[in-house]
Every structure is written in C-alpha cells, then in structure tokens.
C-alpha cells in the first residue's frame, strides 16, 4: 500500500515508548519532556544538576502529571563510565530504550586568541564528546535489542553559520561536529533501523540564553539579524523534536531541522 490509512495524528504518538532526555533540567530539554509525556512516553531525565534542583523536580512533576513514569539520573555526560551506568540503570528500569533526545550542552564566549586549551577542551567535551558517548551507548543498546530506535541530537545554527558578534569558535566547531556526527551515524545505523537526526535552534530564550540579563544592544543585534525579529521559546522547538522522535518521521534520517526564525537565511 503506497498511502497509509493510519491517522496522521496517530503517527505522532509515543504511546508505550521509553525515552531518555539529556539536559532536561530546564530550557529545551524540559519542553521536549512535556511534549514526549503528553504524546505517551515514559522518560528518564539525565542532567548534571543535583537531584534537588528545582528544574529537575518540576520536570519530573510535569511528566508524572501526564500519567507517565519519570525518573532522574544525575550524570556528567562527559564521563564515559557515568554515561554507561546511566543507560544501564535506565534499561534495568524500563526494559528497553526506544528514543534518545541528546540535548545537553554548554555555551562559552572567549576570543580564540585568549582561549586556553583547557577551555577549548571543556566545550568540545561537553558539546561534542558527550554527544558521541550518548549516541554510542544508546546505539549499542538499540542494536543489541534489534528493535530499531530513534536518536535526536541538539546541534545549533552555530554549526551552520558564525554568530555575530560573539566570539565562540569552540562552540561553533562543536555544533558543526554534532551535525556531521548525526549524518554519519544515520548512514551507519540505517541498517539497524535506528534513525539519527538533529535540530539546530537559533536564539531561544532559555537558561543558556537569559534574554532578561543580556545587554539590550546585543539583543538588538540578535533581533535585527533574525528575519522574524524575535527570539524563540523552548515550546517552539518541542513539536519538531516530537516529529523526529515519532513514526511521523519514519523516512527521515540524517536530517537537520533548523528552527531559527529565519536567521540562517540572511
Ligand atoms: N538557547 C539557545 O539559544 C540555543 C541555541 C542553539 C542550540 N542550543 C543548544 O540547546 C541545548 C539545550 O540548551 P538550552 O538552551 O535548553 O539551555 P539549558 O542550559 O537549559 O540546557 C542545557 C542543559 O544541559 C545540562 N548539561 C550541560 N553539560 C552537561 C553534562 N556534561 N552532563 C549532563 N548535563 C549537562 C545543563 O545542566 C543544562 O540543564 C544545548 O545543547 C544548547 O547548546 C541552545
């Protein structure tokens, strides 16, 4: 049959699915956790913040308010052994892992001529090495289970363009790496029915981008350079991630969805 009779809305359902969301303590990770829970998934939230962080407590409360299972694992995703332990604990609890939204990251603005190697490593480690560790660990579990799966990485428009005027070479390079890692894994793991895609947000109001404390003249540059003349909010990212996590995107792999109010067009 060429045209499926399945309801298009049913294709967005995550009913019965078990998901991992990294960097889920606030911002885009939390917004996506709510979307996944509303769509029917049980969720393990990974972040480096302590268990009693208000953002963690709130995200677990909201997931449970949809009648879904939620638990938190405090993990530094730059540490190989911690990542493996976190996934093993999740597998023990859920029995399977179907979806991974690999979203944790850090930002840093330092002019390259002033940057120490340790500062470069900190960003590459948090923004790129962690994506490799999460994808590899999840990929091994999914390949062994033989049921396929979905991995969604958070890249950035910074992986496609150079932001003006802030100097952030390490972040930009790491995010370009995330985008190409995504395409590479999509090709390697298509044979295992594991789809790997990424989102590339533009400027999004979140704990990483606290619009209220960023100097007005800098915000004006961001607005002026964005065709839609505003920044986005995490809620405007979640539907695209849900699309990539669900059967709605069953023929989509190796893709980058740019969600930036048009920034990259100029
Ligand atoms: N906000 C933006 O404008 C923007 C734009 C493009 C891309 N992004 C990317 O989106 C993602 C989410 O960012 P956000 O804007 O929601 O900000 P956020 O700061 O709320 O989210 C990032 C989360 O990652 C966690 N984290 C960082 N390093 C970690 C580590 N080593 N181990 C475990 N957890 C770790 C942080 O504790 C935090 O909760 C990041 O990858 C970021 O680079 C953000």
């Amino acid at each position: 049959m060429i045209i499926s009779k399945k309801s298009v809305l049913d294709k967005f359902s995550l009913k019965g699915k078990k998901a991992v969301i990294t960097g889920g303590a606030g911002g885009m990770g939390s917004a996506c956790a709510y979307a996944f829970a509303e769509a029917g998934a049980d969720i393990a939230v990974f972040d480096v913040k302590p268990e009693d962080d208000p953002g963690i407590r709130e995200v677990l409360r909201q997931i449970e308010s949809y009648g879904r299972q939620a638990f938190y694992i405090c993990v530094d995703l730059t540490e190989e052994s911690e990542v493996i332990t976190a996934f093993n604990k999740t597998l023990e609890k859920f029995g399977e892992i179907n979806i991974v939204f690999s979203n944790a990251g850090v930002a840093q603005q330092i002019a390259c001529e002033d940057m120490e190697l340790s500062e470069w490593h900190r960003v590459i480690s948090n923004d790129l090495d962690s994506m490799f560790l999460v994808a590899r660990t999840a990929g091994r579990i999914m390949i062994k289970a033989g049921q396929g799966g979905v991995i969604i990485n958070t890249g950035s428009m910074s992986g496609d363009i150079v932001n003006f005027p802030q100097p952030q070479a390490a972040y930009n390079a790491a995010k370009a790496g995330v985008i190409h890692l995504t395409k590479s894994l999509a090709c390697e793991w298509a044979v295992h029915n594991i789809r790997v895609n990424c989102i590339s947000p533009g400027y999004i109001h979140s704990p990483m981008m606290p619009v209220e404390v960023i100097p007005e003249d800098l915000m004006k540059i961001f607005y002026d350079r964005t065709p839609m003349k505003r920044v986005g909010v995490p809620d405007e990212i979640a539907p695209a991630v849900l699309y990539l996590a669900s059967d709605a995107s069953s023929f989509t792999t190796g893709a980058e969805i740019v969600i930036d109010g048009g920034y990259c067009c100029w």
Side-chain angles (χ1 to χ4, degrees):
M1 189 194 307
I2 295 173
I3 298 177
S4 157
K5 293 231 172 77
K6 196 172 175 185
S7 145
V8 72
L9 291 182
D10 284 352
K11 291 184 184 177
F12 285 85
S13 170
L14 300 185
K15 205 167 166 206
K17 301 285 186 189
K18 311 295 181 191
V20 169
I21 296 185
T22 78
M28 290 183 250
S30 296
C32 292
Y34 306 154
F36 282 16
E38 187 179 347
D42 296 321
I43 303 166
V45 176
F46 292 4
D47 203 290
V48 76
K49 292 189 175 150
E51 199 154 349
D52 59 357
D53 178 87
I56 299 294
R57 288 212 305 268
E58 178 60 12
V59 73
L60 296 182
R61 195 188 63 75
Q62 291 265 9
I63 297 168
E64 283 163 358
S65 77
Y66 286 104
R68 307 314 322 165
Q69 276 186 63
F71 65 92
Y72 177 63
I73 299 182
C74 179
V75 48
D76 180 350
L77 298 166
T78 67
E79 292 294 330
E80 182 173 23
S81 61
E82 291 192 32
V83 175
I84 293 170
T85 304
F87 271 94
N88 284 343
K89 278 187 190 162
T90 306
L91 195 56
E92 223 169 81
K93 214 144 189 165
F94 281 162
E96 58 186 327
I97 297 172
N98 315 110
I99 300 162
V100 174
F101 178 37
S102 183
N103 163 73
V106 298
Q108 175 179 265
Q109 274 106 40
I110 304 178
C112 196
E113 65 273 24
D114 299 328
M115 197 185 300
E116 299 297 335
L117 183 60
S118 58
E119 291 167 329
W120 168 269
H121 281 155
R122 178 183 160 262
V123 175
I124 298 298
S125 165
N126 276 283
D127 290 343
L128 183 56
D129 294 356
S130 68
M131 294 278 171
F132 157 71
L133 287 174
V134 167
R136 190 202 58 183
T137 310
R140 283 177 176 169
I141 290 169
M142 289 171 179
I143 290 167
K144 190 167 173 209
Q147 302 294 315
V150 182
I151 298 171
I152 305 130
N153 296 321
T154 300
S156 171
M157 69 174 181
S158 309
D160 296 311
I161 52 89
V162 175
N163 305 64
F164 179 83
Q166 62 276 43
Q168 48 179 50
Y171 183 82
N172 296 349
K175 290 300 188 179
V178 171
I179 295 163
H180 215 58
L181 174 69
T182 300
K183 293 178 188 181
S184 306
L185 297 183
C187 294
E188 283 192 35
W189 290 346
V191 67
H192 298 294
N193 195 25
I194 299 170
R195 296 187 297 105
V196 188
N197 292 289
C198 70
I199 53 155
S200 282
Y203 292 122
I204 306 296
H205 188 175
S206 75
M208 186 180 280
M209 175 144 181
V211 168
E212 55 287 348
V213 301
I214 295 175
E216 249 175 57
D217 52 342
L218 189 54
M219 284 310 302
K220 183 174 173 340
I221 295 174
F222 296 165
Y223 294 141
D224 284 350
R225 287 181 166 243
T226 306
M228 290 183 75
K229 301 295 174 202
R230 66 176 179 85
V231 299
V233 293
D235 266 1
E236 294 178 299
I237 300 298
V241 181
L242 177 59
Y243 163 72
L244 292 173
S246 68
D247 287 349
S249 61
S250 53
F251 195 50
T252 303
T253 199
E256 176 195 12
I257 301 185
V258 179
I259 309 157
D260 66 348
Y263 191 103
C264 290
C265 300
W266 272 350

